[in-house]
Amino acid sequence: MWKQPAPANSSFNDYNTFPLPQTQRGQSSHAHGPVGHTQQPLVTGTSVLGLKFDKGVMIAADNLASYGSLARFRDIQRLHPLGKHTLLGVAGDMSDFQWLKKELDALLREEDALALSDSHPSLSPKNIYELLSNLFYARRSKMNPVWNAVLVGGWDKVKEESFLAYVDLLGTTYTAPTLATGFGAHLAQPLLREAFEAKAGINGDGPLLTQEEAEKVLDDSMKVLFYRDARSINKYQIATITAEGVSISDSKSSDTYWKFAEGLRGYGAQTQ
Amino acid sequence: MALYSQPPMSYTQEPTTAPVEHRFNPYSDNGGSILAIAGKDFSVIAGDTRQSEGYSIQTRYARKVWQLNDKAVLATNGFAADGTNFVKRVKQRLEWYEHAHHKPMGLKSIARMIQTMLYGKRFFPYYVYNILGGIEEDGTGAVYSFDPVGSYEREACRGAGAAQSLIQPFLDNQIYFKNQQPEAGSEKFVPGNLPLSTVLSLVVDSFTSATERHIEVGDGLEIYVVMQKGRSADDLLDEKKLAPGLKVEELGALGEGEGERTFLVRQSLKRD
């Protein structure tokens, strides 16, 4: 009864996540029934932003996991480090994200164990991204998608350059110096591109943003998202990945300004 | 009018209250366009580098044209995730073939292989339009075009993708000389004999025009040129004969190198 029509032209959108219980009444239910597929996301995270700067790459995401339009879990970390030089920023279904964390952490543990007794190279950001891409594409091909959009940020130790790439539930992959998922692709990506191109030029061959500049752009973008994305919260973290490794900031808030709202007319009950 | 009005509901169908099924859609359309033109002793395969979904540009550089071996280049267009994964499988099959037969697969064999690989997924198709270009075993330039489920034919030219409807009529006119008549007393038009410089200009004009009129085309242009063994590359490498803005690089032989040469010509396209 709460179902809203699926938006045209999109198979997945972070915001059509109404929690409809999908139990099949009147049919015999087995304890070990058919394999359950994620047919729709339930508890979801909204936009993730990514931006390259002169010494590495930054990824930002807020701390909210929504249950439909309910701001259900307000202290969820959606940035997940993998090893010393890779980090995931995850939007979409949070239970799929938890499963993904578990699988990848297990893999990395195995790799670490191998590295103890051998000169075993650690997984590069590229390796992890390739693995994720193959996983997401394989799962979508089984009609059992991992319902997420993921930004992979990292530092490639061999090439000595930053890494930033996107993969989603369809197995669609791409890289760019600035990336954003979900609503961020509409609201923040233009701001990120504008800031990036202002210094680096349209071919990206000029100087990149400094760490301070990059953080400022992300702060501004997260503020815009908080103002306009109804599934966001004013509490977010920024991860910075450089040659030195991964560091994830404490949660922080934007300074917001609402005074103008009192002067607004036309959105609700007003006497005058 | 009553005579023609709808019969009462009870005669036809009871109104149903079944919930609207929201099924996962495993496909997407990532825009862009590709084209290929065969010459007498060369073949040209081109594609733009924009990847988009709906009105959003995902990245300004994503590859759609892939060098398979020293005499074959494949362009893919449609659903990008299917495209990259299809090319990956084609490359793997080509490698297996080399291990088994100690020679690279010929162009017409690659074409037939692609048809079986596409038809093999007839009931869950790769949502990809493929154009294969290269040098045939007899040394002639060739173009093969495919539909998503494997129907294919050899042609002198083919455009595909978002701007197919803009590009193909232009090529029909310029390559097949459709709606043109030779002057009285002059020789008949024979398709497939145009010089490389003319073909390159046609490719560039096709894409600059498509960029003007189609929102999903733009950002960058990659043109692969495959040349028959022994053919002089002076007409491509001479800076003075090349249109301004084009950058040429020779791609080294992928295998043993039997004499065919592949060049990559790049140009930027408008980004709006």
Side-chain angles (χ1 to χ4, degrees), chain B residues 1-13:
Chain B
M1 282 309 288
L3 207 61
Y4 301 104
S5 64
Q6 292 283 319
M9 195 64 127
S10 56
Y11 294 167
T12 53
Q13 206 179 21

Side-chain angles (χ1 to χ4, degrees), chain A residues 6 9 11 28 50 60 65 74 87 95 116 122 130 140 144-145 162 183 185 212 216 227 237 253:
Chain A
N9 189 34
S11 56
S28 65
R74 308 195 299 172
L87 179 127
S95 60
L116 287 176
S122 58
E130 206 80 4
R140 87 98 218 187
N144 181 19
S162 56
F183 233 120
E212 293 71 33
K216 168 84 166 53
Y227 273 131
Q237 288 167 287
S253 302

Side-chain angles (χ1 to χ4, degrees), chain B residues 126-147:
Chain B
Y126 287 112
Y127 210 118
V128 175
Y129 289 86
N130 282 291
I131 301 178
L132 176 71
I135 301 296
E136 210 68 271
E137 260 154 14
D138 64 4
T140 56
V143 164
Y144 291 90
S145 69
F146 302 79
D147 82 350

Side-chain angles (χ1 to χ4, degrees), chain A residues 102-223:
Chain A
K102 192 183 105 204
E103 293 289 313
L104 290 168
D105 285 346
L107 175 77
L108 260 82
R109 232 171 4 249
E110 217 171 296
E111 290 286 313
D112 281 350
L114 284 170
L116 287 176
S117 59
D118 202 350
S119 63
H120 190 75
S122 58
L123 290 173
S124 68
K126 182 94 196 294
N127 294 148
I128 291 171
Y129 177 62
E130 206 80 4
L131 185 141
L132 273 178
S133 310
N134 290 335
L135 173 75
F136 276 62
Y137 184 73
R139 283 283 296 271
R140 87 98 218 187
S141 298
K142 290 175 188 153
M143 291 298 277
N144 181 19
V146 185
W147 214 292
N148 297 112
V150 180
L151 294 192
V152 181
W155 180 261
D156 189 321
K157 280 190 288 183
V158 182
K159 289 191 199 156
E160 300 210 311
E161 62 185 30
S162 56
F163 180 91
L164 180 61
Y166 170 99
V167 59
D168 68 13
L169 73 167
L170 289 174
T172 306
T173 55
Y174 48 90
T175 76
T178 65
L179 287 175
T181 73
F183 233 120
H186 299 104
L187 291 173
Q189 179 73 293
L191 303 172
L192 301 178
R193 285 185 183 157
E194 186 175 46
F196 182 86
E197 288 171 13
K199 277 193 86 180
I202 57 170
N203 295 318
D205 42 18
L208 300 191
L209 297 168
T210 63
Q211 186 156 345
E212 293 71 33
E213 288 168 333
E215 196 164 342
K216 168 84 166 53
V217 179
L218 285 178
D219 284 335
D220 290 349
S221 302
M222 290 308 285
K223 172 145 74 179

Side-chain angles (χ1 to χ4, degrees), chain A residues 17-21 38 40-44 66-68 92-95:
Chain A
T17 55
F18 284 87
L20 284 175
T38 306
Q40 57 166 331
L42 216 57
V43 178
T44 59
S66 307
Y67 181 64
D93 189 272
M94 288 295 108
S95 60

